[in-house]
Amino acid sequence: YTSERDILKLVNSLFLDDLRAEFARLAGSKGTQRATRLRAFHAKLGGLTFLDPACGCGNFLVVTYRELRLLEIEVLVA
């Protein structure tokens, strides 16, 4: 079992920080292409694939999914 704290340390540094930064840049943009870029980013999120490196109870996948889903909700609201 990998603790949530340790999972977040890993996934934040590997990809979530970059995805959040990309979203912040897109959400802060103005112009006619904003909606198109946000839709493309949303599709990018949907195309990501993850695996549980420990092949354990799945906590890694559950925490990663939850964090990505929270980001997706922000994208949908924007």
Side-chain angles (χ1 to χ4, degrees):
Y1 178 82
T2 306
S3 72
E4 184 172 334
R5 186 192 74 209
D6 291 339
I7 293 168
L8 287 173
K9 273 197 271 186
L10 179 67
V11 298
N12 281 332
S13 64
L14 284 176
F15 58 87
L16 276 177
D17 289 342
D18 292 339
L19 289 172
R20 287 184 183 121
E22 183 178 352
F23 169 65
R25 184 179 51 81
L26 293 172
S29 68
K30 299 191 188 300
T32 59
Q33 294 296 316
R34 181 177 185 261
T36 303
R37 290 182 181 137
L38 284 170
R39 281 189 203 97
F41 181 72
H42 184 237
K44 176 182 175 176
L45 290 179
L48 297 174
T49 303
F50 298 93
L51 63 98
D52 184 350
C55 297
C57 66
N59 195 40
F60 183 90
L61 295 175
V62 170
V63 172
T64 301
Y65 173 78
R66 182 194 67 210
E67 294 299 313
L68 283 170
R69 184 68 175 125
L70 290 172
L71 179 58
E72 181 186 27
I73 291 168
E74 289 183 54
V75 172
L76 292 171
V77 168

